[in-house]
Amino acid sequence: MTAKFLNSALGAALLLILAGLANTCVHAPEPIPVPTEEVPEETVTAPNVELIKEPLAPAVHSLLRKSQAALEQKNLEDAEAHAERAYRMEGRDYRVLFMRARVSLASGNTEDAEQWAQRALGSLPMKYKEHRRQTWEFIARARALHGDDAGRDAALQEARSIR
Amino acid sequence: MRLSVSRDKLRFLLRLWPVPVVVLSAFCAIMLYQMDGIVREKFEGKRWRLPSVVYARPLELFNGAPLRDEDLEMELQELGYFKVKDPLQPGEYGRNGDKFDIQRRGFPFWEGAEGTTRIQFRIVKSRVADLMQNGEASELSRLDPMKIGGIYATQKEDRKLVQLKQVPKYVIDALIAIEDRDFYDHFGVSVKGISRAMWTNLKAKRWVQGGSTLTQQLVKNFYLTPERSIKRKFTEMVYSVLLELHYSKEEILETYINEIYLGHSGDNAVHGFGLASEFYFGRPLEALSLDQAAVLAAIANGPSFYNPARYPDRVKKRRNKVLALLLEDKKITKADYEQARKQPIKVRPSLRWTPNRFPSFLDLVRRHLDRDYQNKDLAEEGLRIFSTLDPIAQVQTEKAISDFMRRQGKSAGKLQVASVVVSDSGEVQAVVGDKVAGFQGFNRALDAKRSIGSLAKPVVLLAGLSDPNKYTLATHISDGPVSIPLSSGQVWEPQNIDYGDHGYVSLLTMLTQSYNRATVRLGKELGMKRVKDTFRKLTGSSEIPDNPSIMLGALSMSPYEVAGMYYPFFSGGYRTDLKAVRGVQDHDGKRIKAYPSKSIKIYEPSVIHLMQYAMRAVIFEGTGRSAFSFMPGDLTAAGKTGTSNDQRDSWFAGFTGDKLVVSWVGNDANDPTKLTGSSGGLHVWAQIMAKVSHKSLALNAPPGISYQWVDNATGLLSSSDCQGVRYLPFVGDSAPKQSVPCPVLPEPVSPDQPPATTTQEPAMLDWLFKLMQ
């Protein structure tokens, strides 16, 4: 009982004294900039990577599917995270590199998108002509979004030259 | 009269009695006001400076993934997994022959949090097979990543914050039972507790028990210094009452559970039950068993005295006391009590969870983060940093260096070594900056800028091959005397290492045999501007000395910088900023900054294909031949030796299909070492590569490459039926148009008459290559 009385009395006194005390200062981390760029719409046919028959670990396929699903839901952070994981496991496959290109383009990083697509082209066996043509069309689109009209025309020319 | 004066004075003084009372009260009020401010400020503000935690990469598991069983066991041990016969709890694993059964702990991975998972698989021929996850066939799984270090403020305190709702009830019950049984009844100070402690101490005739409540203990750790004095004890009591006035028992308990000091790991103090649970038992607090919870409660009284690794019997005695109190308070059943009492005191096999196990790598992480974060944020905000370190590659690199140094015997004395391992995605997987693993000091891998010697020759060759209409690997060039006038008025006349003249040699031979004069002649033909531009493109640096001697490597670079310069050779023409960090999460596991891979195409893959061909030949038939003394014969690699003047620096930089490794051997005083690139750097490199690489370099011809049989002596087209020919790649239609009939007899050597040469380059490799194609 005595303890509770003491407790209440001390509390009441302190309430008076402490009225108006300023809030303590809390150090907050710097705000993280959030990208606000609008995601450009796809306007060209994406190459059907399922038609590529080169061997690829099922684990990498699984990550590409996850990345694709996240991309469709416009969840670009997840799409990038899954595509990056796939890239770390298999960094020289067209399907992986092209997925990185798509994620970059969806994120508005047109220059990165072109670089990834160029690298994808370098990993694509010559026999996949349709994929090659569509990848050049993808590069044309990336250049167009970047405002490089001459580059776009050159890429389209490359695409048309593939027979 | 005197008496009347004295009475008046006394009456006057008596009338003033309220003054000292008011002054004293005001003083007390001010003191209380100040103390209350302190109590609230710290409790409501940021309670702890949380160091950032750096994680290694999580080990990816999928069918076909390269993994040696001894590497896996090493990683599991370092992660603090218990090896048991039948793994049931998170943090346990079992092995039966080639079969592994792991109860993987839950972890908030970068791609998303994953709960506790049972992972089973086999390791067959150093590859993962039959992967199962939670009893079902799985395509992909992974281990939780190893904690490799932290970034601290001045005090090295580690803690993992937990919320009260995450803490199992019996952990709280055990703590209260042993430390403060009246916790829910007192107001910060327990008169009953103090009386009980005094009685116990009197009976024992020594100090065996303190009467501090959990609130007082929290105040002592949280607000006050360890000093023992009456004044401090009084302050502690006032703070405790103030704390109880403002905050609920739950808030106080949660803070206590996160604040309490529970042990030491190296230089770092382990604070809080969340971290202590992982530190001692290798499992999250939520997964602790009753006996383990009782051990933590036992340790709380004195982590040094009750160190479970050192004094298991002492800890067992106190643990059993905790269990008895829990039974007495009816918090556990008799059966629980009996079961828990039977358990031995078992903590992680190795409590050497060293916060800075790989200092050279952490140094790189720190430099990476310094670009985007202030020191204060790194040391106080509890960021979670996902690095690219591969502990297996790091440990194997350390071992290879240690083996190399042992073989040097007495001459090892002043020798130093540094190495960097990079993956094909441009992630730095291992950094060793000293011959002694774990040395915290001068990081030679990043900071020792040394003359790169012949590592520069591929750069000069690339400058030439970038103009395929003029230069191919079959192009012949004189290795005769060459001179270049310098801006100082002097004339530079480089010599070959054997002071010989090798006549006209192909550009391929120039590189494989590392001929100085042929290289300088090529550079002279190309012009300094093109050579410098090539250096700039490869390194991304504009600070290239304007001196012709850079063609023979008279420029200083660190092993890390060389790795960056060689990455385009490895990647097929793409430059990247090597990265050590994948991403940063805040303390709650929210992604705040990703570092995605980026690369820029700086050379056509076709041109780099020629470089890879030539650098592969360095290892098969040139100055890098001795690599196969250490590497398996079926591991195809490419690279280049480098030796600086007077053999002060011995380098090797090269790559396979999945790893780029750069190794440097030298000494800090820059004295001659008696080692060439072939006997120093190459040996270290080959030993590292033998352990970390699992994929041969595949020379798949990219678009725009055609192979032709070429006569070695003339550099003209020939046929596979002839002797002295090799199958060489050419960019576009740059192959020679003229052909020579077979056989061709070598002409006498004459440096003045191109393109004769006596060099008969081995064609065996080419036949094999053609067969493979």
Side-chain angles (χ1 to χ4, degrees), chain A residues 3-4 6-7 10-11 14 17-19 21 23-30 32 57-59 62-63 65-66 75 77-78 80-82 84-85 87-92 100 109 112 115-116 118-122 124 126 132, chain B residues 29 32-33 36-37 40-42 44-46 60 62 110-111 114 139-142 187 241-242 245-246 374 376-377 381 424-425 427 567 570-571 574 579 582 591-592 594-601 605 612 657 695 702-703:
Chain A
K4 279 192 179 167
L6 269 174
N7 197 351
L10 200 55
L14 279 167
I17 294 166
L18 301 175
L21 273 182
N23 282 336
T24 52
C25 195
V26 182
H27 174 82
E30 286 183 11
I32 306 303
S62 150
L63 288 169
R65 282 195 298 272
K66 283 183 182 175
N75 183 346
E77 277 194 359
D78 277 3
E80 183 183 80
H82 295 308
E84 275 284 302
R85 196 176 167 197
Y87 172 62
R88 286 194 292 267
M89 287 162 64
E90 180 49 75
R92 301 194 183 206
R100 280 302 284 110
N109 299 323
D112 286 350
Q115 291 295 336
W116 285 114
Q118 291 271 12
R119 205 164 170 180
L121 274 177
L124 184 65
M126 290 300 284
R132 190 165 290 281
Chain B
L32 271 176
Y33 176 82
D36 192 70
R40 286 176 46 155
E41 184 180 326
K42 182 143 189 190
E44 287 172 13
K46 193 172 60 177
E60 299 281 8
F62 54 95
W110 177 257
E111 295 83 2
E114 292 177 19
E139 290 173 334
L140 179 61
S141 195
R142 55 186 160 180
F187 58 96
V241 174
L242 289 172
L245 260 177
H246 287 296
Q374 293 181 347
K376 195 171 184 299
D377 291 339
E381 295 298 333
D424 61 351
S425 60
E427 292 191 337
Y567 182 78
F570 173 44
S571 66
Y574 299 87
K579 75 175 185 183
R582 292 178 179 174
R591 294 179 199 141
I592 57 173
Y595 293 96
S597 309
K598 281 176 194 268
S599 58
I600 301 165
K601 185 175 172 184
Q612 290 184 343
K695 197 171 169 185

Side-chain angles (χ1 to χ4, degrees), chain B residues 489-627:
Chain B
Q490 292 176 307
V491 176
W492 182 48
E493 292 178 320
Q495 293 292 327
N496 279 319
I497 197 161
D498 59 0
Y499 295 96
D501 176 351
H502 306 94
Y504 273 82
V505 295
S506 69
L507 293 189
L508 178 66
T509 306
M510 175 195 90
L511 190 78
T512 57
Q513 302 305 320
S514 204
Y515 291 148
N516 288 345
R517 296 204 301 207
T519 306
V520 172
R521 176 164 281 104
L522 174 63
K524 190 180 174 184
E525 282 182 22
L526 294 168
M528 269 306 286
K529 185 178 178 304
R530 269 177 71 180
V531 173
K532 279 179 69 179
D533 283 349
T534 309
F535 269 110
R536 276 195 205 103
K537 276 171 91 171
L538 288 169
T539 59
S541 164
S542 56
E543 293 171 14
I544 306 298
D546 190 22
N547 188 332
S549 60
I550 61 169
M551 295 179 219
L552 297 183
L555 75 167
S556 299
M557 295 175 80
S558 69
Y560 181 77
E561 288 169 332
V562 170
M565 184 172 82
Y566 266 57
Y567 182 78
F569 296 130
F570 173 44
S571 66
Y574 299 87
R575 189 166 66 73
T576 191
D577 289 332
L578 301 181
K579 75 175 185 183
V581 179
R582 292 178 179 174
V584 178
Q585 289 181 343
D586 68 10
H587 182 258
D588 298 321
K590 190 179 157 211
R591 294 179 199 141
I592 57 173
K593 175 88 179 162
Y595 293 96
S597 309
K598 281 176 194 268
S599 58
I600 301 165
K601 185 175 172 184
I602 56 169
Y603 283 99
E604 284 300 324
S606 53
V607 174
I608 297 298
H609 182 76
L610 304 191
M611 290 303 304
Q612 290 184 343
Y613 181 97
M615 291 164 84
R616 187 188 64 165
V618 169
I619 290 186
F620 273 100
E621 62 202 67
T623 51
R625 279 189 304 268
S626 64

Side-chain angles (χ1 to χ4, degrees), chain B residues 699-714:
Chain B
L699 271 183
N700 296 323
I705 283 287
S706 64
Y707 271 77
Q708 302 289 342
W709 285 100
V710 173
D711 175 57
N712 290 331
T714 60

